[in-house]
Amino acid sequence: MNENHFFSMRKGSASPQKVYGDMKANLVFNPPEAVILMCAIVIASVGLNVGSTAVVIGAMLISPIMGPIQTIGFSIATGNKDMLKKAFVLFFKQVIIAIVSSTIYFWISPLNQPSSEILARTSPTFWDVLIAIFGGLAGIIGVTRAEKTNVIPGVAIATALMPPLATVGFGIAQSNMIYALGALYLFAINATFIAIASVIGVSLIGMRKLDVEGFKSERKSRKQLYILLTILVIPSMITSILQIDKEIITGSLNELVAVEIETDTRKVVSTELDYLGEKITLIIVGDHISESHLSEIESSLPEYGLQDYSINIVQNSFKDSITSTVIQSISPDAKSEDDSEVASETKSGDTNE
């Protein structure tokens, strides 16, 4: 291949010896590096605990855990079994240190409710796979450049290795294995696909064909990794499909609310979607919905793709009197003639001057 070609990955790359030395340097893990890792995971845990995105980003930038993952990919691509073994050992050491440190923090922390930042790391999807692949590819190309760039900090933020490990610690501390396993799965996806992207990146720049100490083409190792990738990606694809369907349902519900329910004098103040139970609860303030209007909403459910859902409408009216809650239940198979309304109104007494 013409190395002057615009898309040549070898153009501007460092020498094989330099890249090899950088990969070996990733395997250095002395007490200072261990302390940095513990600081990073505690910072990430605090950020997740208080819901601070900026703090979480800071933790990702100072974490040293990206190095061994890239070295794993480099070792597989070049067939360096000795380096691969050392990289795996170091990687698992770092994972254990991070999980133990985050677990201790969340045991001590008085804040034991999951923030939105924590919940976001418990349900990995196929989009996380794509982020890890392209982030890992950009990362390995960045570290093999002769002139260093700011790629690695960006990759560290995009692929987010620290937050999932911190969330694993939260799940363990709170005895919530659903959170812990979900976050561990997300971390496994990120780490594995960063490694495979590193394999691809090293292959693209042709380093496996160059004469460097310990370099051999090892197809067996790559095949084993590909099998692992297939096993990892299937659950994430299923989760993605469910998430897409949920987003479609949410969009349909928002459209129903905007077109059929809300007016200038009636607003939906709370929407609760039970996706698995196929139930929707709406809390409304303002003008009450009439029986005829309820029937119209019922008949329009299929138009919005909500024919399988039941809708509970909680109505609160505030006018000249104080009106108690009126609850209406609308289900797809309910008949309008069987609908009934239960309302209880307590009017304030007149004030005598």
Side-chain angles (χ1 to χ4, degrees), residues 122-194:
T122 59
S123 300
T125 67
F126 186 67
W127 316 126
D128 296 299
V129 173
L130 294 179
I131 292 171
I133 290 175
F134 288 101
L137 185 59
I140 195 64
I141 293 174
V143 299
T144 58
R145 298 297 91 190
E147 184 177 346
K148 298 305 178 184
T149 65
N150 60 353
V151 170
I152 298 304
V155 172
I157 295 172
T159 53
L161 293 168
M162 284 288 98
L165 286 179
T167 304
V168 172
F170 176 85
I172 294 174
Q174 299 299 322
S175 299
N176 191 325
M177 289 301 102
I178 294 178
Y179 286 175
L181 293 177
L184 188 61
Y185 177 43
L186 174 57
F187 176 77
I189 285 176
N190 288 345
T192 304
F193 281 93
I194 290 172

Side-chain angles (χ1 to χ4, degrees), residues 178-295:
I178 294 178
Y179 286 175
L181 293 177
L184 188 61
Y185 177 43
L186 174 57
F187 176 77
I189 285 176
N190 288 345
T192 304
F193 281 93
I194 290 172
I196 191 59
S198 298
V199 173
I200 296 171
V202 172
S203 300
L204 286 175
I205 63 177
M207 294 199 66
R208 62 193 177 113
K209 300 176 182 178
L210 300 178
D211 184 18
V212 178
E213 179 186 358
F215 281 21
K216 295 179 182 178
S217 178
E218 189 63 59
R219 294 183 178 180
K220 184 177 179 180
S221 297
R222 290 197 295 273
K223 286 182 179 179
Q224 291 173 345
L225 184 60
Y226 296 151
I227 293 173
L228 175 61
L229 295 179
T230 303
I231 295 173
L232 281 174
V233 78
I234 290 175
S236 69
M237 291 184 69
I238 295 173
T239 305
S240 296
I241 293 171
L242 294 176
Q243 184 179 34
I244 292 172
D245 186 58
K246 185 176 180 179
E247 290 295 329
I248 293 173
I249 294 298
T250 302
S252 299
L253 175 59
N254 291 338
E255 186 179 0
L256 172 71
V257 168
V259 175
E260 306 290 346
I261 298 177
E262 288 193 330
T263 65
D264 292 339
T265 56
R266 185 194 304 122
K267 297 296 179 183
V268 175
V269 295
S270 177
T271 303
E272 181 179 340
L273 173 63
D274 181 358
Y275 177 72
L276 297 178
E278 297 184 333
K279 296 179 181 178
I280 298 169
T281 301
L282 304 177
I283 298 180
I284 300 173
V285 295
D287 292 342
H288 274 226
I289 300 177
S290 65
E291 285 288 338
S292 60
H293 194 176
L294 288 172
S295 298

Side-chain angles (χ1 to χ4, degrees), residues 332-352:
D333 55 351
K335 297 181 180 179
S336 59
E337 60 266 26
D338 295 333
D339 290 338
S340 62
E341 180 179 50
V342 180
S344 174
E345 298 186 354
T346 304
K347 296 187 177 180
S348 58
D350 295 333
T351 303
N352 295 325

Side-chain angles (χ1 to χ4, degrees), residues 48-67:
L48 293 175
N49 209 190
V50 301
S52 173
T53 303
V55 174
V56 174
I57 291 175
M60 291 186 282
L61 287 174
I62 66 176
S63 168
I65 204 168
M66 177 74 74

Side-chain angles (χ1 to χ4, degrees), residues 25-39:
N26 286 336
L27 302 181
V28 176
F29 193 65
N30 295 321
E33 285 77 21
V35 172
I36 291 174
L37 176 61
M38 288 187 286
C39 291

